[in-house]
Amino acid sequence: MADYAIGAQFKATEPITFDMLYSDHTNYPIKNDWLFWQELTKRTNVTITPSVVPASDYNQKRGLVVSAGDPPFIIPKVYAGHEAPFVASGAVLPVSDYLDLMPHFKQKADKWDMWPQLDRQRQEDGKFYILPGMHEKVWQDYSLAVRTDVMQELNLPTPKTWDELHTTLKAMKARYPDAYPFSDRFAVPNPGGNLLNMISTAYGTTGGWGYFNTTWDADTQQFVLTGAMPEYKAMVTYLHTLVAEGLLDPESFTQNDDQAKQKLAAGKTLVISSNAQNLVNDYRPLLKDGATMAKIPFLAGPAGEVTGYTRLESGLMISSKARESENFVALMQFIDWLFYSDAGQEFAKWGVEGVTFTKDAAGKRTLAPDVDFVGLNPGAPKHLQKDFGFQGGNFSYGGSTELLHSMFTTEEQAFQAAIAHKTPIPVPPPAPLTDEEREQATLWDTPLKDFVTQQTLQFILGQRDLGEWDAYVAELNAKNGPALVDLTNKARTRYADQNK
């Protein structure tokens, strides 16, 4: 479109087709007759041809497809760092070179001050290769869900800190001595993925899903070795205490999600990791005999009332082949409209006004009475994802806080309000590596991370005594931990000097 600009509805001047890698979710498997596909083509004159890959195999298959040299033009669901293997080969596009074709992306990046976070995605050449989902504000979805009927039975206040959770779990254990009050999920393939990710933030370090071998220390203005941090030891010690006292199920770090949910259904679990959809879709249908469950606000710890810093989520890579297409400009405009314009984001999330939702004069959206999503219309015969294809993980990324909250239940809105006072931790500075440095760092990084994961579990489960912590740190040092930290800090300094 020659006149494509902010606020414009993108529509290709003639019908075109773009191929796209597609991660197929078991909860809402792809259908060719979804309204999403029909309406997208009607509005944009673009037809998407999906190359469907099961979500369970997506990361592996994506790597194979891109490395083979002939990937689809659009490659979604890519997290920061996943693009690195494809940069040196030239398989994916340096999308930051083409932002002038994407007015909505640039508008949101400017308006929401996203550039410090986008800069962290830049490679050593100063360019970034992922178009990420961008949120207006930090969004903390994951927390802990607790059996509120048991809390009421024991007259327990809602814990606000990890120390208060310890007290809560001890009271639950005293009442139900034959159960582990806390048995967690999200352990496969990353042991303790969500639990360690949450608690590490509260302790001022990283862990689980968010683990990096180097963590930014805002006080010293240096990257430090994560697994050797005093804060990391304090976190591990806390979790070890929970396990030793029979408050945290040791299988929390190895069991699959189905096993964790079975324990909840049998009444053997009173606390479990959760996001908003887990609570409504996974847990409440399992509860029996008047049992109730709710998410508690994100717990504070020694680091204070903080949350994570990131306002980015997974995003898109574009195949380098696309640059050679006569429809390249249309492709970038199309992506800009669908993923970054207000209208495109509303469409991907809510669907079609008058069919899947209505909107009042004040702009408030309401799902159609016969459509359900996360329990907003329980018992409705149709489902927004399963029957229409909207709110899917391949297309619905980021957006304004108003749009994000618009599909929350009243309960989830209250949860977000309860944690709105928390402060995001500082954004770490960029430290992009050269190709040669990246190759060296990979040789150090993966074995070191695997070792930290292994030893962390041993300490938590009591298989290794915490009195051996100093010996463990010496082992980290022998596995090139300090060399990796030094390499990262040199890269940070170099980037800062080159971008003054």
Side-chain angles (χ1 to χ4, degrees):
M1 288 177 60
D3 55 352
Y4 181 67
I6 292 170
Q9 164 67 59
F10 170 78
K11 190 161 189 176
T13 53
E14 59 184 59
I16 49 176
T17 299
F18 295 128
D19 53 357
M20 174 179 177
L21 204 60
Y22 187 95
S23 176
D24 195 26
H25 202 292
T26 54
N27 288 351
Y28 43 97
I30 189 170
K31 295 179 182 178
N32 293 330
D33 63 351
W34 272 343
L35 179 62
F36 175 85
W37 305 119
Q38 300 166 17
E39 188 69 20
L40 183 66
T41 299
K42 177 181 174 182
R43 296 189 186 195
T44 66
N45 225 2
V46 172
T47 299
I48 294 290
T49 303
S51 296
V52 181
V53 177
S56 57
D57 299 329
Y58 186 75
N59 286 352
Q60 180 184 13
K61 292 289 179 63
R62 181 192 62 212
L64 293 173
V65 168
V66 177
S67 297
D70 192 31
F73 278 12
I74 305 172
I75 309 163
K77 294 189 73 67
V78 184
Y79 290 86
H82 289 184
E83 82 282 20
F86 314 122
V87 170
S89 68
V92 295
L93 203 68
V95 288
S96 57
D97 283 352
Y98 303 99
L99 298 183
D100 284 346
L101 301 175
M102 305 184 69
H104 293 102
F105 180 98
K106 291 177 67 176
Q107 180 197 42
K108 284 183 166 55
D110 290 340
K111 183 179 179 181
W112 296 345
D113 190 26
M114 298 299 304
W115 293 109
Q117 301 211 21
L118 291 168
D119 285 344
R120 280 187 46 76
Q121 306 233 63
R122 295 184 189 275
Q123 302 296 316
E124 199 272 337
D125 60 8
K127 303 175 182 183
F128 57 83
Y129 292 74
I130 298 177
L131 291 168
M134 298 188 292
H135 285 278
E136 181 181 6
K137 295 181 180 178
V138 170
W139 172 32
Q140 180 62 49
D141 187 14
Y142 286 84
S143 185
L144 295 176
V146 303
R147 280 277 301 276
T148 46
D149 58 313
V150 174
M151 298 283 287
Q152 293 167 2
E153 173 195 352
L154 301 179
N155 197 28
L156 295 171
T158 300
K160 297 180 180 178
T161 68
W162 287 95
D163 283 344
E164 290 179 8
L165 176 71
H166 186 191
T167 302
T168 299
L169 295 175
K170 286 193 287 188
M172 289 176 166
K173 183 72 172 180
R175 174 66 179 84
Y176 299 99
D178 296 331
Y180 287 109
F182 186 2
S183 184
D184 211 17
R185 64 183 295 188
F186 302 125
V188 180
N190 300 307
N194 182 55
L195 173 58
L196 289 168
N197 188 44
M198 291 193 300
I199 192 172
S200 64
T201 299
Y203 272 78
T205 182
T206 65
W209 288 337
Y211 178 82
F212 291 97
N213 279 315
T214 57
T215 294
W216 178 247
D217 186 331
D219 292 333
T220 63
Q221 294 288 291
Q222 294 283 319
F223 285 97
V224 298
L225 186 59
T226 303
M229 293 173 70
E231 294 87 348
Y232 197 88
K233 180 183 180 182
M235 172 190 74
V236 169
T237 302
Y238 172 88
L239 291 173
H240 168 78
T241 300
L242 295 190
V243 172
E245 294 180 357
L247 306 178
L248 175 61
D249 183 0
E251 294 181 356
S252 295
F253 300 92
T254 54
Q255 66 190 353
N256 61 41
D257 285 2
D258 285 341
Q259 290 170 315
K261 289 186 285 186
Q262 286 167 9
K263 292 177 180 179
L264 177 68
K268 297 179 180 179
T269 299
L270 306 175
V271 179
I272 189 171
S273 281
S274 182
N275 61 27
Q277 291 196 44
N278 297 148
L279 180 65
V280 174
N281 296 337
D282 294 350
Y283 304 154
R284 285 181 174 156
L286 300 176
L287 301 178
K288 305 169 185 174
D289 303 324
T292 56
M293 201 162 206
K295 276 169 60 179
I296 60 173
F298 194 66
L299 296 171
E305 293 283 357
V306 297
T307 61
Y309 64 84
T310 187
R311 290 183 287 139
L312 303 180
E313 60 177 305
S314 64
L316 313 168
M317 294 189 300
I318 306 298
S319 167
S320 293
K321 291 191 313 173
R323 185 65 188 88
E324 303 164 9
S325 168
E326 63 181 358
N327 293 320
F328 175 69
V329 172
L331 172 68
M332 301 305 288
Q333 292 176 340
F334 167 74
I335 289 172
D336 182 65
W337 178 82
L338 179 57
F339 289 93
Y340 298 103
S341 74
D342 291 343
Q345 290 177 336
E346 180 184 75
F347 166 73
K349 192 175 189 72
W350 278 92
V352 178
E353 187 173 359
V355 180
T356 58
F357 76 102
T358 58
K359 188 188 292 189
D360 66 18
K364 181 181 178 182
R365 307 168 194 85
T366 304
L367 278 178
D370 61 342
V371 180
D372 185 33
F373 179 70
V374 292
L376 290 173
N377 279 332
K382 299 174 185 177
H383 191 274
L384 189 65
Q385 292 171 311
K386 298 175 184 178
D387 297 305
F388 296 97
F390 298 104
Q391 187 60 35
N394 291 275
F395 297 102
S396 186
Y397 296 113
S400 69
T401 300
E402 183 277 326
L403 180 65
L404 176 69
H405 286 194
S406 69
M407 204 167 268
F408 287 169
T409 61
T410 301
E411 176 184 25
E412 181 61 18
Q413 291 179 9
F415 171 85
Q416 294 297 329
I419 63 172
H421 67 286
K422 293 181 181 287
T423 302
I425 60 177
V427 179
L433 304 177
T434 65
D435 292 342
E436 182 179 349
E437 289 170 339
R438 187 183 300 111
E439 184 176 346
Q440 178 61 74
T442 300
L443 294 175
W444 294 337
D445 193 69
T446 301
L448 190 63
K449 181 177 180 179
D450 290 345
F451 181 75
V452 171
T453 298
Q454 176 193 65
Q455 298 304 306
T456 296
L457 295 189
Q458 289 190 10
F459 282 126
I460 291 173
L461 299 178
Q463 297 166 355
R464 185 172 187 180
D465 193 280
L466 281 162
E468 297 183 27
W469 187 266
D470 289 345
Y472 152 75
V473 171
E475 292 160 4
L476 292 183
N477 293 341
K479 291 183 178 295
N480 300 300
L484 181 62
V485 169
D486 185 55
L487 189 68
T488 305
N489 278 317
K490 286 181 178 177
R492 176 195 62 81
T493 301
R494 180 179 64 231
Y495 183 88
D497 289 344
Q498 292 173 350
N499 293 273
K500 288 181 178 179

